[in-house]
Amino acid sequence: MKQLVILGGGYGGMRMLQRLLPNQLPDDVEITLVDKNPYHSLKTEYYALAAGTISDQHVRVTFPEHPRLKTMFGEVELVDLERKQIYFVGEETLSYDELVIGLGCEDKYHNIPGAHDYTYSIQSIERARDTYQSLNNLQANSVVAIVGGGLSGVELASELHESRPDLRVQLYDRGKKVLSVFPDRLSSYVQNWFETHGVEVVNEANITKVEQNTLYNHDEPIHCDAIVWTAGITPNKVVRELPVEKDAQGRVVLTPLHHLPNDPTVFVLGDCASLPHAPSAQLAEGQAEQIVQVLVKRWKNEPLPESFPQIKLKGVLGSLGKKHGFGLVSQTAITGRMARLLKSGVLWMYKYHNG
């Protein structure tokens, strides 16, 4: 029995299982899904979990079941590409014939002293839970600093303001406006929303150091009762330590068929893969669709495609609390209630189709 191992039950891993089960998995292939948790987590909603506006069960989806799908729960420590072995924290090991690495990402601290030790995170469900506990135990008028004015920072700041209007929320961003990679209309809309709703945005920030309850902006100390880091991502440590070629962001360089150039049995999926778009759930799902096509053709001994068309992304949707939002859909900027309704609809459809 051939062993296909999928490391990570994120958006890409789930899409692969959707496409392979129940009809495209040959009788001689068995899948082992490996994840730290016994459920798929909706990472795009961790900001709301941390802010306390949704409960833990709202970000969990059960993994599918199938007679030739095994689930293994543990933390991957090392992938030995030569021996085709996966080592876990502890003494367990797992062999594979074909491997898909989709272990996701971690916070990127940009070598800023103290950032790792003295800030909270929403990059994993465990850390989002810890962030929730800390933020929601704060007393009234406490200062919460959120470092990073990208999508995660913006959504967390707005949701936390709605959940705890008694807190002083400060959003630190390096750009002249938040969401600087978005069209000016969207970034201006979000910037104005924060100003109107009393969230302090510190633009052109330069965080140089972090200490316990102290953030240094341009070397000036600022007291904070809690600091949350949303200022960039880097691939999982296991991927960073793989002896393979990587791009400037530390993501693995792949062939057009998404496998290692010198090993067609190892695919890299999602945040860990070097692709022409910024990492996202949509991108991971699109890549998963193409990896499934490669695997199915290989199992049938059919000719493999030379390449795939570029993955098309439908757009980006973000929330500003429960009633307002923003988005870029088919290059069209949308703001207000419609954007928020669209995001809620997309989330409902995802959970519906994933059981």
Side-chain angles (χ1 to χ4, degrees):
M1 186 77 73
K2 291 181 181 178
Q3 295 294 323
L4 168 64
V5 175
I6 301 175
L7 299 182
Y11 291 96
M14 284 289 281
R15 180 57 61 91
M16 288 194 65
L17 295 179
Q18 281 182 328
R19 294 296 179 260
L20 289 172
L21 306 175
N23 300 319
Q24 294 205 82
L25 190 66
D27 293 338
D28 63 342
V29 177
E30 187 176 73
I31 300 175
T32 300
L33 174 68
V34 176
D35 200 273
K36 290 171 65 175
N37 300 305
Y39 43 77
H40 167 56
S41 302
L42 303 176
K43 187 174 184 178
T44 58
E45 305 306 302
Y46 286 173
Y47 73 92
L49 176 62
T53 55
I54 62 174
S55 67
D56 195 278
Q57 66 178 4
H58 285 93
V59 297
R60 301 198 307 256
V61 175
T62 57
F63 289 128
E65 296 182 354
H66 187 272
R68 278 179 286 118
L69 171 63
K70 294 182 179 179
T71 51
M72 184 172 179
F73 307 119
E75 184 174 354
V76 178
E77 186 172 36
L78 173 72
V79 175
D80 189 329
L81 298 174
E82 291 187 3
R83 294 182 174 86
K84 292 185 175 293
Q85 286 278 332
I86 301 157
Y87 295 83
F88 295 85
V89 175
E91 298 183 356
E92 288 184 288
T93 62
L94 180 64
S95 300
Y96 66 86
D97 296 298
E98 291 168 308
L99 176 67
V100 179
I101 303 174
L103 290 171
C105 60
E106 303 170 0
D107 287 296
K108 186 174 184 178
Y109 295 104
H110 308 281
N111 297 315
I112 295 173
H116 176 273
D117 297 320
Y118 300 115
T119 65
Y120 294 99
S121 169
I122 57 171
Q123 279 302 323
S124 68
I125 192 168
E126 298 92 339
R127 299 196 70 184
R129 288 175 181 139
D130 291 341
T131 301
Y132 161 75
Q133 292 288 347
S134 298
L135 295 182
N136 284 276
N137 283 334
L138 292 173
Q139 295 181 351
N141 299 314
S142 295
V143 176
V144 178
I146 299 171
V147 181
L151 186 61
S152 295
V154 162
E155 291 192 305
L156 176 60
S158 59
E159 200 83 5
L160 184 60
H161 169 72
E162 189 167 284
S163 172
R164 291 286 308 272
D166 57 291
L167 298 176
R168 293 175 54 201
V169 180
Q170 299 174 340
L171 180 61
Y172 290 81
D173 183 51
R174 298 192 67 172
K176 293 183 178 180
K177 294 179 183 177
V178 296
L179 299 174
S180 55
V181 299
F182 282 70
D184 184 68
R185 177 191 166 189
L186 285 184
S187 58
S188 296
Y189 172 82
V190 174
Q191 183 93 13
N192 291 336
W193 189 93
F194 282 130
E195 293 172 1
T196 302
H197 288 77
V199 175
E200 182 182 354
V201 179
V202 182
N203 296 116
E204 299 184 278
N206 181 25
I207 306 305
T208 54
K209 185 169 64 172
V210 183
E211 294 177 348
Q212 183 73 42
N213 298 120
T214 305
L215 190 68
Y216 287 79
N217 182 28
H218 295 281
D219 293 326
E220 292 293 325
I222 301 162
H223 170 78
C224 307
D225 296 288
I227 305 168
V228 187
W229 196 266
T230 61
I233 58 173
T234 189
N236 181 280
K237 182 176 181 287
V238 173
V239 173
R240 297 200 305 270
E241 294 177 349
L242 285 177
V244 296
E245 183 183 358
K246 303 183 183 75
D247 64 14
Q249 287 74 43
R251 298 176 299 189
V252 178
V253 174
L254 303 170
T255 70
L257 302 188
H258 307 296
H259 59 68
L260 297 180
N262 60 349
D263 190 344
T265 67
V266 178
F267 300 83
V268 181
L269 172 66
D271 298 343
C272 302
S274 180
L275 296 170
H277 296 288
S280 68
Q282 279 186 71
L283 187 62
E285 291 176 336
Q287 193 187 6
E289 300 267 5
Q290 295 181 354
I291 292 174
V292 166
Q293 291 183 51
V294 174
L295 289 172
V296 169
K297 286 185 177 296
R298 184 181 292 170
W299 292 332
K300 292 180 178 179
N301 293 316
E302 296 178 357
L304 301 180
E306 293 184 4
S307 63
F308 288 105
Q310 187 170 326
I311 298 169
K312 292 184 178 180
L313 304 180
K314 296 177 182 178
V316 180
L317 292 168
S319 69
L320 294 170
K322 297 301 183 190
K323 295 182 179 179
H324 300 274
F326 57 93
L328 194 62
V329 180
S330 300
Q331 302 304 312
T332 300
I334 55 174
T335 57
R337 292 180 180 271
M338 180 56 69
R340 189 64 181 89
L341 286 171
L342 276 175
K343 179 171 181 180
S344 297
V346 169
L347 176 62
W348 184 89
M349 289 292 292
Y350 183 87
K351 293 174 78 171
Y352 176 80
H353 286 296
N354 284 276

